[in-house]
Amino acid sequence: MFSLDQLRGFVAVAEEGNFGRAAERLRMTQPPLSRQVQKLERAVGVDLLVRTPRLVELTPAGRVFLDEARRLLSLAAAAPLLAQRAAHGSRGTLRVGFTATAALSVLGEWVKFLDDRLPEVHRVLREMITDRQIEALAAEEIDIGLLRGVPRGAELEQLLVHAESLLLAVPRGHPLTRLGRAPSLADVAESSVVTYSPVEARYFHDLVVSTFRAAGVQPSYGQHVTQVNSVLALVDAGLGVALVPASASVITLRNLRFLQVEEVPDDCVEVYAAWRGDNDSPTLAVLLEHVRALRRSFPGP
């Protein structure tokens, strides 16, 4: 096999058209440069240069090889920098799982940080419910997840990254919009409530049920769906009212309004970042450093 020094010598001779000038450019004497090029030709198996007393010209094979030699030298020069960037987390791939509502509250800030700080990192974003994210983390299919919390025994690290309250989504013109005050949970319970599936959206299902139960009221649940955007679509269609995360208020539909509700606790909707403690990805470490810095200024529990 040929060496990088042989390639550099060949490129210099090809570009200068003269062994003497090429040797001066490389700060070496002419005889060792001639030997380098000869060894290269033996390694390649063809003549790359036509030598005359005053001029050196490329053979047809040499012209083709020159382009490849330049490319190989460029890759060799870039390789240490790429390795350094990978070691510092500025290159590579980061696989992020997220729930639909986490996309409304946290994911956008993470994507902006990655774009600004780690523009060469390839992001793989996968929407998953919390249980599926926990499975994917355990199987090393994702590096970090935005989810509703990790059960005991899951052997994952987690950090609270966002907390918000619940708002009431109502159809425009609904009687609850004409009370002249924030409705109570008892007021809300007089309407049909669109809510969440106890299986596919267990976190929000349990949160809504416990919120009404704590207020001592039992609403009538009309529909059970999985995603917040589906809940809002049904409310917009006039099929009832719904308690939704405050971040969902960024979703605008023609017939939709959002109201504050009395007795709903602050910061009751939580989003956690979760990851494997043994994941040594430098890119993940950079993101976690950013997440922890944000957490230090986060007023939640």
Side-chain angles (χ1 to χ4, degrees):
M1 287 296 294
F2 48 79
S3 68
L4 292 177
D5 283 341
Q6 291 168 3
L7 288 178
R8 292 189 188 97
F10 166 71
V11 170
V13 172
E15 291 177 349
E16 297 293 339
N18 180 277
F19 273 93
R21 289 194 299 270
E24 290 178 7
R25 169 172 151 182
L26 297 173
R27 295 185 178 141
M28 61 189 301
T29 59
Q30 185 172 334
L33 176 58
S34 297
R35 289 193 293 271
Q36 279 187 355
V37 176
Q38 289 169 358
K39 288 180 181 179
L40 175 65
E41 289 178 310
R42 285 198 296 271
V44 175
V46 296
D47 290 334
L48 302 174
L49 300 172
V50 176
R51 298 159 175 83
T52 66
R54 294 186 177 182
L55 186 66
V56 176
E57 295 181 347
L58 290 167
T59 66
R63 287 193 293 272
V64 172
F65 190 76
L66 177 61
D67 290 337
E68 295 304 310
R70 285 169 172 158
R71 186 176 66 85
L72 289 172
L73 289 172
S74 177
L75 290 172
L81 178 59
L82 296 178
Q84 292 164 13
R85 288 178 177 175
H88 291 90
S90 58
R91 282 187 67 96
T93 298
L94 187 69
R95 302 162 299 172
V96 181
F98 64 94
T99 63
T101 50
L104 299 174
S105 57
V106 181
L107 185 64
E109 196 281 330
W110 281 19
V111 169
K112 184 177 185 305
F113 168 77
L114 292 170
D115 282 347
D116 293 344
R117 176 73 183 277
L118 306 173
E120 295 184 72
V121 168
H122 175 57
R123 298 187 310 272
V124 178
L125 306 179
R126 298 178 60 185
E127 182 181 346
M128 303 176 176
I129 63 174
T130 290
D131 288 349
R132 178 67 189 98
Q133 286 190 57
I134 292 171
E135 293 173 357
L137 286 165
E140 301 184 48
E141 296 172 2
I142 60 174
D143 297 298
I144 190 168
L146 284 169
L147 40 72
R148 294 302 168 188
V150 175
R152 292 183 180 181
E155 298 183 355
L156 296 172
E157 304 286 335
Q158 67 173 340
L159 181 69
L160 180 66
V161 295
H162 179 77
E164 60 186 316
S165 187
L166 291 167
L167 294 178
L168 183 69
V170 299
R172 190 176 299 276
H174 190 277
L176 290 173
T177 66
R178 298 193 292 268
L179 295 178
R181 56 173 173 81
S184 67
L185 287 169
D187 296 326
V188 175
E190 294 177 3
S191 300
S192 177
V193 174
V194 178
T195 192
Y196 306 87
S197 165
V199 178
E200 291 88 354
R202 185 175 69 247
Y203 175 87
F204 278 115
H205 174 271
D206 293 348
L207 178 60
V208 169
V209 168
S210 63
T211 298
F212 280 113
R213 184 177 296 146
V217 295
Q218 177 62 44
S220 172
Y221 297 112
Q223 302 287 334
H224 293 75
V225 293
T226 301
Q227 301 290 353
V228 170
N229 57 347
S230 300
V231 170
L232 295 177
L234 295 183
V235 173
D236 184 70
L239 297 181
V241 301
L243 291 176
V244 298
S247 57
S249 62
V250 299
I251 298 176
T252 58
L253 296 173
R254 184 184 62 181
N255 197 38
L256 196 62
R257 285 194 58 188
F258 295 93
L259 305 176
Q260 299 282 344
V261 183
E262 294 179 356
E263 306 167 285
V264 172
D266 294 335
D267 298 334
C268 59
V269 181
E270 296 179 336
V271 178
Y272 287 82
W275 65 96
R276 290 176 62 102
D278 60 355
N279 188 332
D280 61 358
S281 163
T283 303
L284 175 62
V286 172
L287 176 61
L288 287 176
E289 180 183 1
H290 173 68
V291 169
R292 290 186 177 108
L294 292 178
R295 179 65 182 87
R296 286 192 287 271
S297 62
F298 177 61

